[in-house]
Amino acid sequence: MFIKLTRFDNRPVWINAAFVVTVEPRRDGSGAVVVPIGDGLDYDVRESPEDVLRMLEGCPVPQVVPVPVSDCLTKTPADVSPEPERTRGGETAPVSSTEISTAKPAKKPARAKKPAVTKKPKAAKTPVLELPDEEVARLGKLAPKSVAKLKNTLSTQFHVADISGTVAALEAKGVIKLDGKHVVWTMA
């Protein structure tokens, strides 16, 4: 059952009477604050707390419905850590706690040394500059001062796919110099 109340801007509000948990006077003394459970809202209404309580008098009281307990949940044992295992002739068996405390650490088998292989240094790839000269000139006018801003500009304004490669190509071509996280523009 719903009760009709009036907000202070004269809009009506209907509240389910079964969910009203608190009715109290407003701090300024005019009207009431009605608090229903569930929606997280308080309603300031023109009606006095006494009037709201009179409206709620004939309303049915909500029933508490018991929820059956599920037997599908089981208690967890106090210790659910896995038992350490040991091997006996290829078979695995649990180790008791006394065996753990008295066991001596096993020696690691000696590893055969691999012959040293000298790797040939890879030929350094020259980074490919994805931007045409007019775009490089436009980027130079923007002149971002940090590497982060440069990468962001390349991504958002120039839509470069390989941002790190483009930064490396700009540096390789002498357009910029990187000083840590700072970008020094060398082009005029």
Side-chain angles (χ1 to χ4, degrees):
M1 176 175 184
F2 288 87
I3 59 171
K4 180 182 178 185
L5 301 172
T6 310
R7 295 179 189 231
F8 277 89
D9 61 359
N10 291 325
R11 291 183 301 143
V13 59
W14 289 266
I15 298 176
N16 188 334
F19 294 113
V20 174
V21 292
T22 305
V23 178
E24 61 184 58
R26 286 176 30 113
R27 288 186 184 187
D28 64 5
S30 64
V33 178
V34 178
V35 181
I37 193 168
D39 66 358
L41 299 175
D42 299 346
Y43 295 93
D44 291 328
V45 296
R46 290 186 178 271
E47 290 80 9
S48 69
E50 293 79 17
D51 291 339
V52 174
L53 291 174
R54 258 187 246 111
M55 290 180 200
L56 293 172
E57 273 181 17
C59 298
V61 178
Q63 296 293 321
V64 176
V65 180
V67 178
V69 178
S70 172
D71 62 346
C72 66
L73 300 176
T74 59
K75 289 187 176 183
T76 305
D79 181 17
V80 294
S81 58
E83 292 283 331
E85 295 182 352
R86 59 188 159 102
T87 58
R88 283 188 197 150
E91 293 181 19
T92 304
V95 178
S96 69
S97 58
T98 55
E99 287 178 311
I100 292 173
S101 61
T102 60
K104 294 180 182 175
K107 292 183 180 179
K108 293 182 181 177
R111 266 198 240 166
K113 292 187 178 183
K114 294 181 182 177
V117 177
T118 55
K119 292 183 180 179
K120 295 180 184 177
K122 292 182 181 178
K125 287 185 181 178
T126 305
V128 177
L129 185 59
E130 292 184 28
L131 298 174
D133 291 340
E134 59 270 4
E135 294 290 307
V136 173
R138 189 177 120 207
L139 180 63
K141 287 180 183 177
L142 295 172
K145 301 292 183 204
S146 72
V147 174
K149 287 181 181 179
L150 174 60
K151 288 181 176 182
N152 187 31
T153 302
L154 288 170
S155 173
T156 58
Q157 294 190 23
F158 295 90
H159 307 290
V160 173
D162 181 14
I163 296 169
S164 297
T166 303
V167 171
L170 287 169
E171 187 176 23
K173 291 206 178 238
V175 176
I176 62 171
K177 288 184 181 177
L178 298 180
D179 182 21
K181 293 181 180 181
H182 186 72
V183 178
V184 178
W185 291 86
T186 58
M187 56 187 277

